[in-house]
């Protein structure tokens, strides 16, 4: 029987490499059994955070609590955490069975007791060998890799190797599961499938999990909550839905809206709307456009293009520049007629033919799905409160 999952709490966790601070005072809590992703661009400190929790990186300040107890001073092997890296790090000369058994063999048998022949020495040693064998088989069954047990890693696909690596981490029944971009080496189709499997497996075993990724769609797809980091700092923590609806600043909004976020300077938008409409009458995210200083941001899926002006505001006459296919949908790049404002609109792929380059239409965007951010915040700034969209 596994121990119940443990909570994880970080309190002001700070890590430095020489004079460079790679992690600034990270503080957050992960509930027992929760799946939390650490999301951010390359170099923002995600791996440093994970490695510090595992005890692989020295901590300059702050505290790490697992199950409410500080892990300070505990060696990595005593922390009851399982770490899975991007590279699977399986022993190439061993079968998958022996790879899975390795952590248990190291922990539970002395060097003298490890050879198979040692089993004849005493019933106690025999029982421990049997117990390890049973746990290997149970873990393999859980991961659906029973038929791979007698193969070597070189004879497996990337996805299969990843499962064996996960199995080797799971078999120790860790209190905490730390995954550092574990799917990064898989091709796109396999990656999507494996991430769903990983999430289902995590739900089944209930292990508290921290999952590092730079892929926002991956984080949004499988997490209970996501911690967004930039420049070694935690910027926002929330459920995927909270992050999607209420990004705390422009960096977060951009990062979560890949490949495109429309960011329009409020002044340019006012100028584009111009005399046709009193811009004071247009309410964006609870503010009159007339009074907004900064930028207005909205996603391609919250904009539409029509053949002619419909009811409601605002409608901006635009000219189509070009379209990009993106599978079931497409992105249409447009400019206002006077050219001051560029914008990307999501349309169904079948509609591309209706909007050849140079064609004219009217752009509408959903007033309640717009975010307003201060202009000064376009650089790397302090955390600011989101301007919540009016529902
Ligand atoms: P991420 O996982 O988000 O890509 P890292 O945690 O690996 O980011 O790195 C955070 C920052 O710390 C980066 O600027 C990186 O260059 C730096 N860094 C990481 N490891 C070391 C190291 N061993 N020595 C010096 N600087 C490092």
């Amino acid at each position: 029987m596994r121990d119940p999952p443990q909570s994880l709490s970080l309190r002001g966790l700070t890590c430095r490499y020489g004079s460079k601070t790679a992690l600034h005072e990270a503080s957050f809590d992960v509930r027992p059994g929760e799946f939390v992703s650490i999301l951010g661009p390359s170099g923002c400190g995600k791996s440093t955070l994970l490695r510090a929790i595992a005890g692989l990186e020295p901590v300059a300040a702050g505290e790490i609590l697992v199950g409410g107890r500080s892990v300070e001073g505990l060696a990595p092997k005593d922390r009851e955490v399982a770490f899975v890296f991007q590279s699977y790090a399986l022993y190439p000369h061993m079968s998958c069975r022996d790879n899975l058994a390795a952590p248990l063999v190291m922990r539970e048998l002395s060097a003298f007791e490890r050879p198979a022949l040692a089993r004849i020495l005493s019933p106690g040693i025999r029982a421990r060998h049997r117990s390890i064998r049973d746990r290997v088989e149970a873990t393999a069954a859980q991961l659906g890799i029973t038929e791979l047990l007698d193969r070597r890693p070189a004879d497996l696909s990337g996805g299969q190797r990843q499962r064996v690596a996960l199995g080797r981490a799971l078999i120790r029944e860790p209190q905490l599961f730390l995954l550092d971009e574990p799917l990064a080496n898989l091709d796109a189709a396999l990656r999507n499938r494996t991430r769903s499997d990983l999430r289902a497996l995590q739900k089944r075993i209930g292990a508290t999990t921290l999952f590092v990724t730079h892929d926002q769609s991956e984080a949004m797809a499988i997490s209970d909550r996501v911690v967004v980091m930039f420049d070694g700092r935690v910027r926002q923590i929330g459920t995927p839905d909270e992050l999607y609806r209420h990004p705390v600043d422009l960096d977060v909004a951009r990062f979560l809206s890949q490949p495109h976020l429309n960011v329009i300077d409020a002044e340019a938008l006012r100028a584009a709307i111009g005399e046709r409409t009193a811009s004071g009458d247009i309410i964006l995210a609870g503010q009159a456009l007339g009074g907004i200083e900064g930028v207005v941001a909205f996603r391609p899926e919250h904009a539409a293009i029509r053949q002619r002006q419909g009811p409601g505001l605002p409608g901006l006459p635009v000219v189509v520049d070009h379209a990009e296919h993106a599978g079931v949908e497409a992105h249409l790049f447009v400019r206002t007629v006077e050219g001051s404002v560029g914008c990307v609109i999501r349309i169904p792929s079948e509609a591309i033919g209706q909007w050849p380059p140079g064609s004219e239409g009217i752009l509408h965007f959903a007033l309640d799905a717009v975010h307003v951010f201060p202009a000064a915040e376009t650089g790397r700034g302090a955390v600011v409160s989101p301007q919540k969209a009016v529902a």
Side-chain angles (χ1 to χ4, degrees):
M1 191 63 193
R2 304 179 61 85
D3 290 335
Q6 298 289 338
S7 63
L8 166 73
S9 301
L10 307 185
R11 299 274 175 267
L13 190 65
T14 300
C15 293
R16 297 199 182 95
Y17 298 110
S19 60
K20 181 185 166 63
T21 304
L23 189 65
H24 297 258
E25 300 184 3
S27 296
F28 60 86
D29 297 303
V30 182
R31 292 187 280 273
E34 201 178 14
F35 190 111
V36 170
S37 290
I38 312 292
L39 173 70
S42 182
C44 73
K46 305 182 294 296
S47 295
T48 302
L49 174 83
L50 222 55
R51 291 171 58 79
I53 296 168
L56 302 170
E57 217 57 81
V59 169
E63 216 177 6
I64 301 162
L65 307 167
V66 176
R69 282 190 304 275
S70 170
V71 296
E72 192 178 345
L74 285 184
K77 67 177 176 44
D78 299 324
R79 290 202 179 190
E80 310 265 339
V81 301
F83 206 121
V84 179
F85 299 93
Q86 186 177 105
S87 55
Y88 316 119
L90 296 173
Y91 300 115
H93 59 287
M94 287 186 184
S95 66
C96 294
R97 185 185 303 280
D98 290 342
N99 265 287
L100 284 185
L104 303 181
V105 169
M106 307 283 269
R107 189 171 68 187
E108 297 172 22
L109 296 171
S110 68
F112 170 68
E113 295 167 337
R114 285 176 201 165
L117 261 183
R119 280 179 290 191
I120 62 173
L121 294 176
S122 83
I125 298 174
R126 201 155 48 240
R128 273 183 281 149
H129 272 271
R130 200 179 310 123
S131 155
I132 290 174
R133 189 194 61 203
D134 292 348
R135 278 177 285 161
V136 166
E137 294 196 346
T139 303
Q142 202 171 31
L143 286 158
I145 53 171
T146 302
E147 71 283 9
L148 308 178
L149 283 178
D150 294 315
R151 296 204 214 156
R152 297 234 171 135
D155 302 327
L156 304 180
S157 70
Q160 290 170 329
R161 263 181 238 159
Q162 187 54 271
R163 280 171 176 256
V164 177
L166 288 170
R168 203 176 56 179
L170 275 175
I171 203 162
R172 294 171 43 209
E173 306 202 336
Q175 293 181 340
L176 204 57
F177 215 16
L178 305 177
L179 306 171
D180 193 353
E181 305 240 11
L183 311 180
N185 288 339
L186 308 180
D187 66 49
L190 189 57
R191 202 179 158 124
N192 284 353
R193 213 168 58 231
T194 311
R195 80 181 186 201
S196 312
D197 289 353
L198 174 66
R199 178 61 171 150
L201 176 72
Q202 186 271 344
K203 275 201 172 133
R204 208 157 61 232
I205 62 172
T208 310
T209 302
L210 269 191
F211 176 86
V212 158
T213 180
H214 63 273
D215 180 336
Q216 47 89 23
S217 60
E218 192 164 276
M220 298 291 265
I222 60 174
S223 312
D224 291 318
R225 287 187 303 150
V226 180
V227 174
V228 187
M229 289 183 62
F230 281 92
D231 293 336
R233 292 177 196 275
V234 173
R235 285 281 182 90
Q236 188 167 4
I237 304 172
T239 63
D241 193 56
E242 283 164 356
L243 295 178
Y244 183 81
R245 288 171 188 271
H246 305 302
V248 81
D249 63 24
L250 191 54
D251 288 332
V252 176
R254 273 214 173 96
F255 202 75
L256 295 177
S257 308
Q258 290 165 21
H260 305 292
L261 178 72
N262 292 303
V263 181
I264 302 175
D265 181 68
E267 190 58 54
L269 188 58
R270 277 192 289 269
I273 290 174
E275 309 225 319
R276 280 187 306 278
T277 324
S279 59
D281 293 347
I282 299 174
I283 307 299
L284 301 175
Q287 297 182 57
L289 174 59
I292 293 175
E293 287 180 20
V295 295
V296 169
F298 57 95
R299 294 185 166 84
E301 59 267 38
H302 295 136
I305 185 165
R306 308 218 170 95
Q307 301 288 0
R308 63 179 71 81
Q309 180 86 45
L313 294 169
L316 282 176
V318 290
V319 183
V320 174
D321 187 52
H322 69 283
E324 283 179 1
H325 261 289
V328 288
E329 63 198 36
H331 290 115
L332 199 62
F333 291 72
V334 302
R335 294 216 142 266
T336 48
V337 172
E338 66 276 23
S340 60
V341 171
C343 188
V344 185
I345 304 168
R346 190 165 86 181
I347 59 170
S349 286
E350 311 85 68
I352 281 188
Q354 296 166 30
W355 300 105
S359 54
E360 295 186 1
I362 304 292
L363 162 75
H364 292 265
F365 53 90
L367 301 180
D368 57 356
V370 161
H371 305 280
V372 174
F373 299 113
E377 193 214 315
T378 51
R380 298 268 181 257
V383 173
V384 296
S385 300
Q387 310 281 332
K388 294 198 173 169
V390 283

